[in-house]
Amino acid sequence: MAEDEGPSSGWAPVERTAETDTWRARLIGDDHSIASMRRMWRHVPHGPRCKVCAAPFEGIGGVATRLFQHGRSTANPAMCGMCFRHLADHPGGAEIDVSIVFADIRGSTGIAETIGPGAFREALQAFYLLAAKAIEDNGGSVDKYLGDGVMALFIPVIAGERHAERAVEAAVALVGAVERSSLPASGVRVGAGVHRGTAFVGVIGSGDRLDFSALGDPVNVAARLGALAGPGEVLASVDVWPSSVDERRRVEIAGRHDPLDVFVLRPARAGTTAS
């Protein structure tokens, strides 16, 4: 390329190296180390948990994890110290097929103003607990809490080959749990979006500002679907839910030339889950 020629726009593929091959094996389940750790720690109560190995941070489980150096990291509270140090020593990642869920409270600013900051904090905490349970019960991992929302990853090593369906099931369980709880009485209702695709999954950041997360177009689309979903709705792109659903919608996604077809699921109205 000549010196005055710039790189083309868009995402460049991650260069294939021994490190990316190792990460790929780890993320798709060919390397069973992460899955083995998660199976072990899942039997020890209770959450919140490390987003990588599922080590619990509180209760009797928190005491046990600290003894095994899996206590909560001071650099990144979403991970245990052991996983954070491992990721810092082995930065990188790989492009894999992954499913993503975004869910958040509709009209949170107005709700907070109406019920007051203390009551809103309690409602938010209740939403977080319901979201974490729905996500973890379906093989997902809470990637981050986003003020009035949550982002979750469904990676093959944890969620299995059915990660897309399990992501939809988690979103339906999450929205349904909120709808059946006492939260709607205070005005708190939730919408969720689900999408899948090839994204970069691995270590993001540098120094002490490291995180394990996902980047790419599927993440952006899932976030947009989460924002477009109405109260009590799950918008699942046709890429993640192969079954026929009565209601379909065509939505515009910022930055995309073509609209996206989605299924509309309303768990509380149907009285059933999507499975």
Side-chain angles (χ1 to χ4, degrees):
M1 177 181 292
E3 289 185 2
D4 60 346
E5 290 181 343
S8 60
S9 61
W11 282 85
V14 174
E15 183 180 353
R16 190 72 177 266
T17 65
E19 187 71 19
T20 59
D21 286 343
T22 299
W23 268 99
R24 183 182 303 279
R26 190 177 295 154
L27 294 169
I28 66 175
D30 289 347
D31 176 347
H32 299 289
S33 56
I34 293 178
S36 297
M37 278 196 298
R38 289 186 68 90
R39 280 195 298 269
M40 177 183 71
W41 287 123
R42 287 295 297 164
H43 293 292
V44 181
H46 59 80
R49 298 176 180 273
C50 172
K51 67 157 67 175
V52 179
C53 73
F57 294 142
E58 295 181 2
I60 189 66
V63 176
T65 54
R66 286 192 293 274
L67 290 174
F68 289 96
Q69 300 184 356
H70 279 269
R72 177 173 278 172
S73 167
T74 56
N76 186 328
M79 288 188 279
C80 73
M82 182 73 77
C83 287
F84 183 85
R85 288 190 295 273
H86 180 77
L87 294 180
D89 292 338
H90 301 86
E95 292 181 357
I96 64 166
D97 185 33
V98 64
S99 298
I100 308 102
V101 172
F102 274 85
D104 59 31
I105 297 171
R106 309 288 86 162
S108 59
T109 302
I111 296 169
E113 181 181 10
T114 301
I115 67 177
F120 183 69
R121 180 199 173 279
E122 292 181 5
L124 195 59
Q125 187 62 26
F127 161 61
Y128 285 163
L129 291 173
L130 293 173
K133 176 172 172 47
I135 291 162
E136 292 174 4
D137 284 353
N138 286 283
S141 175
V142 174
D143 183 77
K144 56 180 66 73
Y145 294 106
L146 305 161
D148 60 355
V150 62
M151 170 185 170
L153 297 179
F154 290 76
I155 302 169
V157 65
I158 302 169
E161 294 181 358
R162 292 181 56 248
H163 59 85
E165 293 177 45
R166 298 190 76 183
V168 177
E169 290 164 359
V172 168
L174 188 165
V175 172
V178 171
E179 290 289 289
R180 293 187 293 271
S181 73
S182 60
L183 289 173
S186 59
V188 175
R189 299 186 70 196
V190 172
V194 193
H195 189 54
R196 76 179 291 181
T198 300
F200 173 85
V201 179
V203 181
I204 297 167
S206 62
D208 290 337
R209 300 285 185 175
L210 292 178
D211 196 9
F212 177 79
S213 190
L215 292 173
D217 180 65
V219 180
N220 299 333
V221 172
R224 182 60 178 155
L225 292 181
L228 290 172
E233 283 186 352
V234 175
L235 298 187
S237 69
V238 294
D239 296 322
V240 298
W241 193 246
S243 302
S244 176
V245 176
D246 289 340
E247 186 175 352
R248 293 176 67 140
R249 190 178 298 168
R250 179 161 286 193
V251 299
E252 299 288 340
I253 303 295
R256 283 194 159 209
H257 295 294
D258 298 321
L260 185 68
D261 289 323
V262 299
F263 291 122
V264 183
L265 305 163
R266 294 189 178 88
R269 183 176 300 179
T272 61
T273 65
S275 58

